[in-house]
Amino acid sequence: MQLERIARIYLPLSSYGLSFDAEYTEISPCPALAPYIRCFWGSLHARRSCGGNRVIPDSCMDLIFEVNYTKNRVTGRLCALDDAAYVTPERSSEDLVASFGIRFYAWTAACFAEADFRDALGRVFDPEAHFSSLFRGLAPQLFEPDDLAVRARLAENELLRGLRPDRLGNELLNVVFAMISGCGREKVGEIAARAGISGRKMERKLLELTGAGPKLLTQLIRHQLIYREVLEGRYRALDAVEKYGYADQSHLLRDFRRFQGVLPGELLWKNDENCRISSIHEE
């Protein structure tokens, strides 16, 4: 199945990269949800401050729950697809709060949503706008367990109940696979031809299901592929220019700064020692 193939070859990363801590940890979904859900994430324990984090476009959407034990309530928000890096405002209060997130691939969020994502790019929504049933079903269950893994299992049960795979067509999945397997090199017309779909229909369907047109989605995927190379110490600028179809090195670096907020050589890898990534060459 095309959806499983996509999930096997494409695993986008957040600004935390490959290393997590008590404030941010990821948990993989069960096999039945792996093609649809990139991960569950959150803090290991409730805390009194949050924010101050860099957020990068990861070609995903996040449904975020905040479990406030002080006020005895659960609030939420949907962070739709982003197209630029930003830093969240730092917040501190007397309230004890735990965060829990469901990260959907941009092209699979519609399998659980009640509304499409046209005009959603870069915006934050009340969860009731797109995920009313999921939010209402899951939110009351998140109070009792102060355990990220337990919350993930509860979320899986709700997600499996509401899964609508029929909302994805083979044409759209062929488009996404062409974007990823082509490393973002191919032009929009070439992607449409490979996927067997007209350019106009491809644009319309992607805007409805992801909030982004084919050009932007290709750019986001290409950036994620380069970002992983940087984190894994495999990045070489001149090689990346050729591999990913950039006009020149300046073009690559402009795109990287737009989506990451920094250049590859300035990027910090948040590992156990919070050390700078080694073996990065931009010559």
Side-chain angles (χ1 to χ4, degrees):
M1 184 177 175
Q2 193 75 297
L3 194 57
E4 280 82 0
R5 293 178 67 195
I6 291 169
R8 283 197 298 270
I9 65 173
Y10 184 69
L11 290 172
L13 300 170
S14 74
S15 60
Y16 281 83
L18 300 168
S19 184
F20 314 129
D21 55 26
E23 291 190 4
Y24 178 90
T25 297
E26 293 181 359
I27 294 179
S28 298
C30 65
L33 286 172
Y36 302 90
I37 306 296
R38 171 62 182 89
C39 66
F40 302 106
W41 61 269
S43 50
L44 292 181
H45 305 289
R47 61 199 194 281
R48 300 186 188 280
S49 64
C50 63
N53 302 313
R54 186 165 52 91
V55 177
I56 65 169
D58 55 6
S59 62
C60 294
M61 302 187 199
D62 288 272
L63 179 60
I64 303 172
F65 299 77
E66 288 198 345
V67 184
N68 190 314
Y69 291 103
T70 305
K71 292 186 170 66
N72 197 38
R73 69 183 185 188
V74 178
T75 57
R77 64 189 184 277
L78 168 67
C79 296
L81 196 69
D82 285 315
D83 62 349
Y86 64 93
V87 176
T88 60
E90 192 165 359
R91 296 178 293 159
S92 60
S93 71
E94 296 302 314
D95 293 357
L96 197 60
V97 178
S99 299
F100 176 70
I102 303 172
R103 180 162 297 146
F104 304 93
Y105 293 103
W107 41 88
T108 59
C111 294
F112 307 90
E114 293 107 359
D116 68 42
F117 295 98
R118 278 177 290 189
D119 302 319
L121 182 67
R123 297 175 62 188
V124 178
F125 296 88
D126 185 297
E128 298 276 356
H130 295 82
F131 294 98
S132 178
S133 296
L134 175 58
F135 182 77
R136 292 183 182 186
L138 182 57
Q141 303 181 56
L142 298 180
F143 269 109
E144 188 173 340
D146 189 13
D147 185 299
L148 185 60
V150 174
R151 288 189 174 122
R153 302 293 83 84
L154 293 170
E156 285 179 343
N157 293 334
E158 292 295 326
L159 287 162
L160 287 169
R161 271 194 286 270
L163 175 60
R164 290 283 307 279
D166 55 296
R167 292 180 176 172
L168 287 180
N170 288 331
E171 290 176 328
L172 177 65
L173 294 178
N174 289 339
V175 165
V176 175
F177 184 78
M179 289 176 174
I180 296 169
S181 60
C183 295
R185 294 179 57 94
E186 295 180 332
K187 299 184 184 302
V188 170
E190 294 170 337
I191 293 170
R194 275 188 63 187
I197 187 174
S198 72
R200 180 173 296 180
K201 183 177 180 181
M202 177 176 67
E203 174 110 18
R204 176 175 57 82
K205 292 297 293 183
L206 284 176
L207 287 172
E208 289 176 356
L209 294 176
T210 72
K215 181 177 180 180
L216 175 59
L217 191 58
T218 302
Q219 291 174 332
L220 294 175
I221 289 171
R222 178 168 63 175
H223 172 74
Q224 274 289 325
L225 296 174
I226 296 172
Y227 177 43
R228 182 174 283 274
E229 286 194 5
V230 172
L231 294 185
E232 294 177 349
R234 299 183 289 112
Y235 169 77
R236 302 293 184 274
L238 294 182
D239 292 343
V241 167
E242 180 178 358
K243 179 178 179 180
Y244 295 103
Y246 285 96
D248 51 34
Q249 184 176 335
S250 295
H251 182 197
L252 185 155
L253 296 179
R254 282 196 306 272
D255 267 16
F256 197 93
R257 185 191 288 276
R258 171 190 172 189
F259 295 131
Q260 197 69 225
V262 295
L263 294 173
E266 301 168 327
L267 185 63
L268 295 179
W269 183 7
K270 188 178 176 60
N271 60 12
D272 290 340
E273 295 82 26
N274 198 29
C275 294
R276 181 177 296 274
I277 299 174
S278 60
S279 303
I280 294 179
H281 301 283
E282 295 177 298
E283 295 89 325

Coordinates of all heavy atoms in Angstrom, one line a residue, residues 203-239:
E203 N -3.5 20.5 -7.3 CA -3.4 21.7 -6.5 C -4.6 21.8 -5.6 O -4.5 22.1 -4.4 CB -3.3 23.0 -7.4 CG -3.4 24.3 -6.6 CD -2.1 25.0 -6.6 OE1 -1.2 24.7 -7.5 OE2 -2.0 25.9 -5.8
R204 N -5.8 21.6 -6.1 CA -7.0 21.7 -5.3 C -7.1 20.7 -4.2 O -7.4 21.0 -3.1 CB -8.3 21.5 -6.3 CG -9.6 21.5 -5.5 CD -10.7 21.4 -6.5 NE -10.7 20.3 -7.4 CZ -11.1 19.1 -7.0 NH1 -11.6 18.9 -5.8 NH2 -11.0 18.1 -7.9
K205 N -6.7 19.4 -4.5 CA -6.8 18.4 -3.5 C -5.8 18.6 -2.4 O -6.1 18.4 -1.2 CB -6.6 17.0 -4.1 CG -7.7 16.6 -5.0 CD -9.0 16.4 -4.3 CE -9.0 15.3 -3.3 NZ -10.3 15.1 -2.6
L206 N -4.6 19.1 -2.7 CA -3.6 19.3 -1.7 C -4.0 20.5 -0.8 O -3.7 20.4 0.4 CB -2.2 19.6 -2.4 CG -1.5 18.3 -2.9 CD1 -0.2 18.8 -3.6 CD2 -1.2 17.3 -1.8
L207 N -4.5 21.5 -1.4 CA -5.0 22.6 -0.6 C -6.1 22.2 0.4 O -6.1 22.7 1.6 CB -5.5 23.8 -1.5 CG -4.4 24.6 -2.2 CD1 -5.0 25.5 -3.2 CD2 -3.5 25.3 -1.2
E208 N -7.0 21.4 -0.1 CA -8.1 20.9 0.8 C -7.6 20.0 1.9 O -8.0 20.1 3.1 CB -9.1 20.1 0.0 CG -9.9 20.9 -1.0 CD -10.9 20.1 -1.8 OE1 -10.8 18.8 -1.7 OE2 -11.6 20.6 -2.6
L209 N -6.6 19.1 1.6 CA -6.2 18.1 2.6 C -5.0 18.6 3.5 O -4.8 18.0 4.5 CB -5.9 16.8 1.9 CG -7.0 16.1 1.2 CD1 -6.6 14.9 0.4 CD2 -8.1 15.7 2.2
T210 N -4.2 19.5 3.0 CA -3.0 19.9 3.7 C -2.9 21.4 4.0 O -2.2 21.8 4.9 CB -1.7 19.5 3.0 OG1 -1.5 20.3 1.9 CG2 -1.8 18.0 2.5
G211 N -3.6 22.2 3.2 CA -3.5 23.6 3.4 C -2.3 24.2 2.6 O -2.2 25.4 2.5
A212 N -1.6 23.4 1.9 CA -0.4 23.8 1.1 C -0.6 23.4 -0.3 O -1.1 22.3 -0.6 CB 0.9 23.3 1.7
G213 N -0.1 24.2 -1.3 CA -0.1 23.8 -2.7 C 1.1 22.9 -2.9 O 2.0 22.7 -2.1
P214 N 1.2 22.3 -4.1 CA 2.3 21.3 -4.4 C 3.7 21.9 -4.3 O 4.6 21.2 -3.9 CB 2.0 20.8 -5.8 CG 1.0 21.9 -6.4 CD 0.3 22.4 -5.2
K215 N 3.9 23.2 -4.7 CA 5.2 23.7 -4.7 C 5.7 23.9 -3.2 O 6.9 23.4 -2.9 CB 5.2 25.1 -5.3 CG 6.6 25.8 -5.4 CD 6.6 27.1 -6.1 CE 8.0 27.7 -6.1 NZ 8.0 29.1 -6.8
L216 N 4.9 24.4 -2.3 CA 5.3 24.5 -1.0 C 5.5 23.2 -0.3 O 6.5 23.0 0.4 CB 4.3 25.4 -0.2 CG 4.5 25.5 1.3 CD1 5.9 26.1 1.6 CD2 3.4 26.2 2.0
L217 N 4.6 22.2 -0.5 CA 4.7 20.9 0.1 C 6.0 20.3 -0.3 O 6.7 19.6 0.5 CB 3.5 20.1 -0.2 CG 3.4 18.8 0.6 CD1 3.3 19.0 2.1 CD2 2.2 18.0 0.1
T218 N 6.4 20.4 -1.6 CA 7.6 19.8 -2.1 C 8.8 20.5 -1.4 O 9.8 19.8 -1.0 CB 7.8 20.0 -3.6 OG1 6.7 19.4 -4.3 CG2 9.0 19.4 -4.1
Q219 N 8.8 21.8 -1.2 CA 9.9 22.5 -0.5 C 10.0 22.0 0.9 O 11.1 21.9 1.4 CB 9.6 24.0 -0.6 CG 9.7 24.6 -1.9 CD 9.3 26.1 -1.9 OE1 8.5 26.5 -1.1 NE2 9.9 26.9 -2.8
L220 N 8.9 21.8 1.6 CA 8.9 21.4 3.0 C 9.5 20.0 3.1 O 10.3 19.7 4.0 CB 7.5 21.4 3.6 CG 6.8 22.8 3.8 CD1 5.4 22.6 4.3 CD2 7.6 23.7 4.7
I221 N 9.1 19.1 2.2 CA 9.7 17.7 2.2 C 11.2 17.8 1.9 O 12.0 17.1 2.6 CB 8.9 16.9 1.2 CG1 7.5 16.6 1.6 CG2 9.7 15.6 0.9 CD1 6.6 15.9 0.6
R222 N 11.6 18.6 0.9 CA 13.0 18.7 0.6 C 13.8 19.2 1.8 O 14.9 18.7 2.1 CB 13.1 19.6 -0.6 CG 14.6 19.8 -1.0 CD 14.7 20.5 -2.4 NE 14.1 21.8 -2.4 CZ 14.2 22.6 -3.5 NH1 14.7 22.2 -4.6 NH2 13.6 23.8 -3.4
H223 N 13.3 20.2 2.5 CA 14.0 20.7 3.6 C 14.1 19.6 4.7 O 15.2 19.5 5.3 CB 13.3 21.9 4.2 CG 13.9 22.4 5.5 ND1 15.1 23.0 5.6 CD2 13.5 22.2 6.8 CE1 15.4 23.2 6.9 NE2 14.4 22.7 7.6
Q224 N 13.1 18.9 5.0 CA 13.2 17.8 6.0 C 14.2 16.8 5.6 O 15.0 16.3 6.5 CB 11.8 17.2 6.2 CG 10.9 17.9 7.1 CD 11.4 17.7 8.6 OE1 11.9 16.7 9.0 NE2 11.2 18.8 9.4
L225 N 14.3 16.4 4.4 CA 15.4 15.5 3.9 C 16.8 16.0 4.2 O 17.7 15.3 4.7 CB 15.2 15.1 2.5 CG 13.9 14.4 2.1 CD1 13.7 14.3 0.6 CD2 13.8 13.1 2.8
I226 N 17.0 17.3 3.9 CA 18.3 17.9 4.2 C 18.5 18.0 5.7 O 19.6 17.8 6.1 CB 18.4 19.3 3.5 CG1 18.3 19.1 2.0 CG2 19.6 20.0 3.8 CD1 18.1 20.4 1.2
Y227 N 17.5 18.4 6.4 CA 17.6 18.6 7.9 C 18.1 17.3 8.5 O 19.0 17.3 9.4 CB 16.3 19.0 8.4 CG 16.2 19.1 9.9 CD1 17.2 19.8 10.7 CD2 15.0 18.7 10.6 CE1 17.0 19.9 12.0 CE2 14.9 18.8 11.9 CZ 15.9 19.4 12.7 OH 15.7 19.6 14.0
R228 N 17.6 16.2 8.1 CA 18.0 14.9 8.6 C 19.5 14.6 8.3 O 20.2 14.1 9.1 CB 17.1 13.7 8.1 CG 17.5 12.4 8.7 CD 16.5 11.3 8.3 NE 15.3 11.4 9.0 CZ 15.1 10.8 10.2 NH1 16.1 10.1 10.8 NH2 14.0 10.9 10.9
E229 N 19.9 15.0 7.1 CA 21.3 14.8 6.7 C 22.2 15.6 7.6 O 23.3 15.1 8.0 CB 21.5 15.2 5.2 CG 21.0 14.2 4.2 CD 21.5 14.5 2.8 OE1 22.4 15.4 2.7 OE2 21.1 13.8 1.9
V230 N 21.8 16.8 7.9 CA 22.5 17.7 8.8 C 22.7 17.0 10.2 O 23.8 16.9 10.8 CB 21.9 19.1 9.0 CG1 22.6 19.9 10.1 CG2 22.0 19.8 7.6
L231 N 21.6 16.6 10.8 CA 21.6 16.0 12.1 C 22.4 14.7 12.2 O 23.0 14.4 13.2 CB 20.1 15.7 12.5 CG 19.2 16.9 12.8 CD1 17.9 16.4 13.3 CD2 19.8 17.9 13.7
E232 N 22.4 13.9 11.1 CA 23.1 12.7 11.0 C 24.6 12.8 10.6 O 25.3 11.8 10.4 CB 22.4 11.7 10.1 CG 21.0 11.3 10.7 CD 20.2 10.3 9.8 OE1 20.7 10.2 8.6 OE2 19.2 9.8 10.3
G233 N 25.0 14.1 10.4 CA 26.4 14.3 10.0 C 26.7 14.0 8.5 O 27.9 13.8 8.2
R234 N 25.7 13.8 7.7 CA 25.9 13.4 6.3 C 25.9 14.6 5.3 O 26.1 14.4 4.1 CB 24.9 12.4 5.9 CG 24.9 11.1 6.7 CD 23.9 10.1 6.2 NE 22.5 10.5 6.4 CZ 21.6 10.9 5.5 NH1 21.9 10.9 4.3 NH2 20.4 11.2 5.9
Y235 N 25.6 15.8 5.8 CA 25.4 17.0 5.0 C 26.6 17.5 4.4 O 27.6 17.8 5.1 CB 24.6 18.1 5.8 CG 24.6 19.4 5.1 CD1 23.7 19.6 4.1 CD2 25.4 20.4 5.4 CE1 23.6 20.9 3.4 CE2 25.4 21.7 4.8 CZ 24.4 21.9 3.8 OH 24.4 23.1 3.2
R236 N 26.7 17.7 3.1 CA 27.7 18.4 2.4 C 27.0 19.4 1.4 O 26.2 18.9 0.5 CB 28.6 17.5 1.6 CG 29.4 16.5 2.4 CD 30.4 17.1 3.4 NE 31.1 16.1 4.1 CZ 30.7 15.5 5.3 NH1 29.5 15.9 5.8 NH2 31.4 14.6 5.9
A237 N 27.2 20.6 1.5 CA 26.4 21.6 0.8 C 26.4 21.4 -0.7 O 25.3 21.4 -1.4 CB 26.9 23.0 1.1
L238 N 27.6 21.2 -1.3 CA 27.6 21.1 -2.8 C 26.9 19.8 -3.2 O 26.3 19.8 -4.3 CB 29.1 21.1 -3.3 CG 29.8 22.4 -3.0 CD1 31.2 22.4 -3.6 CD2 29.1 23.6 -3.7
D239 N 27.1 18.7 -2.5 CA 26.4 17.5 -2.8 C 24.9 17.7 -2.7 O 24.1 17.2 -3.5 CB 26.8 16.4 -1.9 CG 28.3 15.9 -2.1 OD1 28.8 16.3 -3.2 OD2 28.8 15.3 -1.2

